[in-house]
């Protein structure tokens, strides 16, 4: 039940964060294009600057699903390792415990980044 509850929280946060962030990015890019078209009407904006952005809603749904399916289980595993293995073994060395915890969490973020690319490609938003 904790996996489902936390997974739902992760999914909602991922969906809303992507919706807001990607929506703002798209709005700013469109505003910049409109400004450049008004400011430099005779200059053609080069094709290399005209990168197609991913669609907002499908990307946000994919982020929500990714947070539920990938981030949530990894987060649960990291917490379990810290509480059941790292902290009990290294309880006399808070600095070492914090260092191992940092390395574990950093690695978790790195693995998450590696997971996102194939996940996004599979769902057609990358």
């Amino acid at each position: 039940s904790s996996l489902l509850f936390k997974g739902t929280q992760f999914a909602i946060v991922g969906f809303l964060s992507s919706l807001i962030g990607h929506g703002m990015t798209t709005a700013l890019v469109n505003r910049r294009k409109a400004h450049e078209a008004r400011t430099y009407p005779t200059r053609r904006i080069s094709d290399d600057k005209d990168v197609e952005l991913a669609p907002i809603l499908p990307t946000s749904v994919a982020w929500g699903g990714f947070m539920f399916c990938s981030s949530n289980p990894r987060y649960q595993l990291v917490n379990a390792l810290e509480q059941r293995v790292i902290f009990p073994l290294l309880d006399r060395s808070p600095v070492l415990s914090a260092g191992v915890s940092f390395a574990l969490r950093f690695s978790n973020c790195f693995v998450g980044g590696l997971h996102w690319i194939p996940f996004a490609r599979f769902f057609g938003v990358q």
Side-chain angles (χ1 to χ4, degrees):
S1 71
S2 176
L3 196 64
L4 184 62
F5 178 72
K6 286 291 185 186
T8 302
Q9 287 180 327
F10 269 69
I12 290 169
V13 168
F15 173 79
L16 292 176
S17 297
S18 177
L19 190 68
I20 293 166
H22 197 58
M24 288 173 56
T25 300
T26 301
L28 288 170
V29 167
N30 290 337
R31 184 172 177 171
R32 187 187 97 215
K33 286 180 184 180
H35 173 72
E36 285 181 357
R38 281 191 314 272
T39 306
Y40 310 106
T42 58
R43 187 173 81 186
R44 184 176 176 275
I45 298 172
S46 65
D47 291 333
D48 61 330
K49 285 186 180 179
D50 199 22
V51 175
E52 183 181 338
L53 297 175
I56 296 170
L57 192 58
T59 302
S60 299
V61 170
W63 266 111
F66 176 76
M67 295 293 284
F68 186 89
C69 296
S70 177
S71 298
N72 176 44
R74 286 184 292 104
Y75 170 79
Q76 298 285 344
L77 182 61
V78 165
N79 278 344
L81 286 172
E82 281 182 342
Q83 290 177 6
R84 303 293 180 204
V85 179
I86 295 170
F87 295 153
L89 285 176
L90 303 174
D91 65 340
R92 295 184 188 258
S93 178
V95 172
L96 185 58
S97 177
V100 172
S101 178
F102 172 80
L104 182 63
R105 289 181 177 272
F106 183 83
S107 299
N108 180 37
C109 291
F110 182 76
V111 168
L114 293 177
H115 281 176
W116 168 248
I117 302 299
F119 189 91
R121 285 185 180 152
F122 181 78
F123 286 100
V125 294
Q126 180 71 26

